């Protein structure tokens, strides 16, 4: 059978989320970690609909002829293919939930329905609903004078089909001919809606007569809905949840030279809450006419509607996990990031970096040496300035605190805060204000280009001499994610790299991009072309009969130009190893095209986030980077890849890559038909993440 070399980005991403769901299914994982993977699967899918499906939907409105440049699928074809996959995935998710629910029950936690309650339980629920819940509800009957309400993004609602008002016994109304038929009934039916996601009410209602027995708030409200709509007949009822388009971008029309960009982003964040619905989920059987009615109200086609047997939101799993904390076997063994032996925190970190390049590997190693570096820079009288890019930071960021401290100590602190970091806009807007109030100089990025690079530059002036300490990372300046994501942080006193980092900052502050570089690769002008050039060198080596190799690790691979160059390299005989966690539009192992390429994905305890580029078999060039091989990274963002010159660190990065390629526990290998299977478990089991922990 002949296979194609390209996969659709959206369908490939769904394959990644299948790998997440597999971790929820995998009984080899501790039970509470399986709960966590089920929650991650759902939140991933929610974001996918809000961003990717929302983007396809918007494109389709612009033109029916916009096509995917890898598979030639139109937006409509992609959406229909996505929906087919999501329906199958929803059934699989329901089965996973049923298994996890049973596992909870075996461990003494019961998510019960009203029908499973005994008399004492129902007595409690009756009182609880009347006194604690009902006073806070805001039910609505949709009619001519009561328009269909706005449905909040991700909120759960009880939807009820209401019949005619109950007639008083013996009245003329009660004696009307009952043979009017279903058409009249449907015509007279009304829609009742009750919001169930109420901040002041717990999602899990604890039943006091049983230890760890709960009922979901939305199920409780749905059960008692007849007490809410007392003057109507309840003909059917269900729970629904709407996801809204989250694909926002600032339009040029929104601002001019006199408008503050931060105000524009605040407006956009507020606008996101009211963007059009992109998905409707429901949990009970509902007549097609009812679904059509709801879709009409929210202006959504039925193809965007999905039924789920499991709860519409399983984020409550985290609270149930907390109840089981006493049993350590249900969780991953606790791991505390260590301070590497290469650092002596009793000495100046700046001095140690000036002696030799330093390297951190998160989450296995602690971020504390980098934090100490920032605090030293804030206090060192020789430091004149600190410059940094911020994309996503922690809510209580110690990194920002260090920058504020530096500014308060009289240093020049220049911070580029990217306000367009999706779903972190509000957090970044808040931090940008804090930084400005402390005396930092804050800029918000470049027109049409997000600044995604992870770059920090400390400039010293000693006896009139300028010197630099530069930090380049693959992940965000975020203490929280440094314990959850695998990332690299390189710190160097290489003066050429420092000078080039200074130029990168200067260009960004002027709203410009780097046109030429000597050390770095810097998107959008000096990254993809350099990658292609280095692959060309390997192609030339292969054609000359010399060993030729390309290795890379990233989150996603979607850039068609790079993909085509990798296919060309494979055809020339270059051996190519790729570790791609998420979406991958290149298919490996296709005879005559990509048989020299291997692709694997690792999904495990930590989120694989580091990026590595390797060129050459003998004495290879090694880079770490903030950029995936995605068009948005290579052409629409400011990204930085840095060479690793220190031989010890270089060998360490190569060793890390080799271990990832040898993983036969958490790795999935891509086959020539685009599917993924678990890596063959030959020899000793090797879980790369556990290996790095040890």
């Amino acid at each position: 059978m002949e296979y194609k070399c390209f996969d659709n980005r959206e369908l490939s991403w769904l394959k990644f989320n299948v790998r997440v769901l597999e971790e929820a299914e995998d009984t080899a994982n501790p039970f509470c970690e399986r709960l966590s993977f089920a929650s991650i699967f759902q939140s991933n899918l929610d974001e996918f609909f809000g961003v990717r499906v929302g983007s396809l939907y918007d494109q389709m409105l612009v033109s029916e002829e916009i096509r995917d440049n890898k598979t030639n699928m139109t937006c409509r074809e992609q959406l229909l293919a996505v929906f087919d996959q999501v329906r199958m995935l929803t059934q699989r998710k329901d089965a996973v939930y049923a298994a996890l629910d049973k596992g909870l029950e075996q461990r003494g936690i019961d998510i019960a329905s009203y029908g499973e309650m005994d008399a004492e339980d129902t007595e409690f629920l009756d009182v609880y609903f009347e006194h604690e819940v009902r006073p806070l509800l805001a039910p609505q009957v949709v009619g001519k004078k009561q328009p269909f309400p706005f449905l909040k993004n991700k909120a759960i609602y009880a939807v009820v089909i209401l019949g005619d008002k109950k007639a008083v016994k013996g009245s003329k109304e009660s004696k009307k001919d009952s043979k009017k038929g279903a058409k009249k009934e449907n015509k007279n039916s009304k829609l009742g809606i009750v919001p169930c996601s109420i901040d002041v009410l717990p999602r899990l209602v604890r039943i006091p007569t049983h230890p760890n027995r709960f009922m979901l708030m939305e199920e409780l409200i749905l059960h008692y809905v007849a007490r809410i709509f007392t003057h109507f007949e309840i003909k059917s009822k269900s729970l629904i949840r709407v996801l809204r388009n989250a694909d926002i971008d600032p339009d040029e029309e929104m601002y001019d030279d006199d408008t503050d960009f931060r105000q524009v982003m605040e407006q956009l964040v507020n606008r996101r809450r009211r963007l059009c619905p992109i998905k409707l989920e429901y949990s009970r059987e509902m007549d097609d006419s009812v679904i059509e009615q709801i879709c009409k109200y929210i202006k959504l086609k039925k193809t965007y509607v999905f039924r789920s047997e499991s709860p519409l939101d399983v984020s409550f799993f985290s609270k149930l996990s907390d109840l089981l904390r006493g049993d350590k076997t249900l969780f991953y063994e606790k791991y505390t990031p260590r301070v590497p032996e290469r650092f002596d925190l009793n000495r100046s970190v700046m001095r140690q970096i000036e002696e030799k390049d330093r390297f951190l590997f998160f989450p296995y190693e602690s971020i504390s040496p980098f934090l100490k570096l920032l605090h030293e820079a804030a206090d060192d009288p020789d430091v004149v300035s600190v410059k940094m890019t911020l994309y996503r930071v922690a809510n209580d960021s110690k990194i920002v605190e260090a920058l504020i401290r530096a500014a308060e100590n009289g240093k020049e602190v220049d911070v580029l805060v990217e306000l367009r970091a999706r779903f972190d806009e509000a957090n970044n807007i808040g931090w940008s204000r804090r930084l400005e109030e402390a005396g930092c100089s804050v800029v918000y990025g470049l027109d049409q280009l997000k600044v995604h690079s992870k770059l920090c530059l400390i400039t010293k002036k000693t006896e009139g001499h300028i010197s630099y300490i530069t930090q380049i990372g693959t992940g965000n300046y975020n203490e929280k994610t440094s314990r959850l994501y695998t990332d690299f942080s390189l710190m160097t006193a290489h003066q050429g790299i420092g000078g080039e980092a200074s130029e990168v900052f200067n260009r960004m502050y002027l709203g410009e991009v780097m046109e030429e570089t000597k050390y770095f690769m810097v998107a959008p002008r000096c990254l993809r072309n350099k990658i292609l050039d280095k692959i060309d060198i390997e192609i030339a080596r292969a054609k000359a009969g010399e060993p030729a190799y390309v290795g890379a690790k990233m989150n996603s691979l979607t850039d068609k130009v790079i993909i085509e160059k990798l296919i060309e390299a494979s055809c020339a005989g270059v051996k190519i190893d790729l570790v791609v966690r998420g979406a991958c539009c290149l298919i490996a192992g296709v005879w005559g095209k990509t048989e020299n390429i291997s692709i694997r994905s690792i999904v495990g305890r930590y989120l694989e986030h580091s990026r590595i580029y390797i060129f050459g078999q003998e004495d290879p060039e090694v880079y770490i980077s903030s950029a995936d091989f995605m068009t948005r990274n290579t052409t629409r963002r400011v990204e930085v890849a840095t060479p690793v010159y220190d031989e010890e660190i270089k060998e360490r990065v190569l060793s890390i890559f080799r271990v990832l390629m040898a993983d036969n526990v958490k790795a999935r290998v891509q086959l020539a038909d685009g599917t993924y299977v678990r890596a063959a478990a030959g020899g000793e089991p090797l879980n790369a993440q556990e290996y790095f922990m040890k």
Side-chain angles (χ1 to χ4, degrees), residues 577-623:
D577 290 326
L578 302 174
V579 181
V580 185
R581 172 176 55 86
C584 180
C585 294
L586 172 63
I587 297 177
V590 177
W591 185 252
K593 293 287 186 181
T594 59
E595 70 269 28
N596 289 312
I597 301 177
S598 70
I599 297 174
R600 56 177 44 216
S601 170
I602 295 175
V603 177
R605 173 174 180 168
Y606 300 119
L607 185 136
E608 289 291 338
H609 193 256
S610 56
R611 287 88 162 189
I612 305 170
Y613 311 156
I614 303 166
F615 305 99
Q617 184 75 50
E618 299 170 0
D619 191 23
E621 291 184 83
V622 176
Y623 289 77

Side-chain angles (χ1 to χ4, degrees), residues 162-380:
L162 304 169
D164 286 337
K165 290 185 178 181
K166 293 177 181 177
V168 178
K169 189 174 180 181
S171 69
K172 290 181 180 179
E173 187 178 354
S174 69
K175 295 176 183 177
K176 284 184 178 179
D177 187 1
S178 61
K179 296 181 180 179
K180 297 286 186 180
K183 287 186 179 179
K184 187 170 188 339
E185 277 192 358
N186 288 338
K187 185 178 179 181
N188 292 336
S189 295
K190 292 188 176 182
L191 199 62
I193 295 182
V194 187
C196 299
S197 301
I198 302 168
D199 291 341
V200 295
L201 291 177
R203 177 83 187 286
L204 292 166
V205 180
R206 186 186 287 272
I207 311 300
T209 54
H210 294 74
N212 292 338
R213 171 175 274 193
F214 301 91
M215 188 173 183
L216 291 173
M217 177 58 70
E218 63 265 27
E219 294 289 346
L220 176 73
I221 293 171
L222 191 67
H223 174 77
Y224 286 109
V225 78
R227 295 193 184 185
I228 300 170
F229 300 100
T230 53
H231 298 297
F232 293 89
E233 175 193 358
I234 307 300
K235 299 172 72 174
S236 67
K237 57 187 180 180
S238 183
L239 296 167
I240 65 169
R241 178 174 181 258
V242 164
L243 292 178
R244 293 186 173 273
N245 193 336
D247 188 36
I248 60 169
D249 269 314
D251 299 320
E252 288 188 14
E253 293 78 13
M254 291 187 64
Y255 59 97
D256 52 36
D257 291 339
D258 297 324
T259 305
D260 183 70
F261 185 66
R262 187 162 59 196
Q263 290 179 320
V264 172
M265 290 309 302
E266 286 176 320
Q267 292 171 23
L268 280 172
V269 172
N270 290 329
R271 181 190 292 181
R272 176 190 280 149
R273 300 188 184 104
R274 302 193 66 86
L275 291 180
C276 67
I278 207 72
K279 184 184 184 186
L280 172 67
E281 301 171 288
Y282 67 101
S283 67
R284 303 285 198 288
E285 282 289 355
M286 281 201 296
D287 188 88
D288 279 352
S289 63
V290 178
I291 295 174
E292 288 172 1
Q293 188 179 358
I294 296 173
C295 287
K296 181 180 178 182
Y297 281 127
I298 64 175
K299 296 182 173 64
L300 190 69
K301 292 183 179 179
K302 278 184 67 179
T303 49
Y304 294 75
V305 179
F306 301 83
R307 184 185 172 192
S308 175
E309 296 286 345
S310 52
L312 301 179
D313 177 2
V314 297
S315 58
F316 61 86
F317 274 164
S318 62
K319 287 185 170 57
L320 299 182
S321 290
D322 290 340
L323 298 175
L324 297 169
R325 289 284 169 192
D327 186 348
K328 294 182 180 179
T329 65
L330 302 180
F331 298 86
Y332 290 131
E333 185 177 347
K334 186 179 179 181
Y335 180 78
T336 302
R338 60 186 178 272
V339 176
E341 294 177 358
R342 298 173 298 282
F343 277 101
D344 181 356
L345 294 187
N346 293 317
R347 294 179 56 216
S348 164
V349 171
M350 278 199 290
R351 303 294 178 270
Q352 292 176 68
I353 295 168
E354 288 167 340
E355 294 165 3
K356 185 181 186 301
D357 288 358
R358 304 288 166 164
F359 182 81
L360 292 171
F361 184 15
F362 307 132
Y364 313 106
E365 295 173 342
S366 170
I367 196 173
S368 57
F370 177 64
L371 293 175
K372 188 170 189 291
L373 170 66
L374 291 179
H375 282 288
E376 281 183 21
D379 296 334
D380 192 318

Side-chain angles (χ1 to χ4, degrees), residues 46-56 245-247 422-423:
D46 286 351
E47 184 172 333
F48 173 75
F49 264 83
V51 177
R52 295 305 308 163
V53 174
S55 177
L56 286 173
N245 193 336
D247 188 36
R422 187 177 283 121
F423 303 121

Side-chain angles (χ1 to χ4, degrees), residues 52-89:
R52 295 305 308 163
V53 174
S55 177
L56 286 173
Y57 180 83
D58 290 342
Q59 288 178 37
M60 189 173 65
L61 295 179
V62 173
S63 171
E64 289 276 355
E65 292 306 311
I66 297 176
R67 293 179 180 271
D68 170 36
N69 67 351
K70 288 98 175 171
T71 59
N72 204 38
M73 297 170 72
T74 65
C75 294
R76 186 180 300 279
E77 288 169 341
Q78 292 178 74
L79 287 171
L80 292 175
V82 163
F83 297 158
D84 285 344
Q85 291 299 312
V86 170
R87 290 187 209 288
M88 290 189 286
L89 269 179

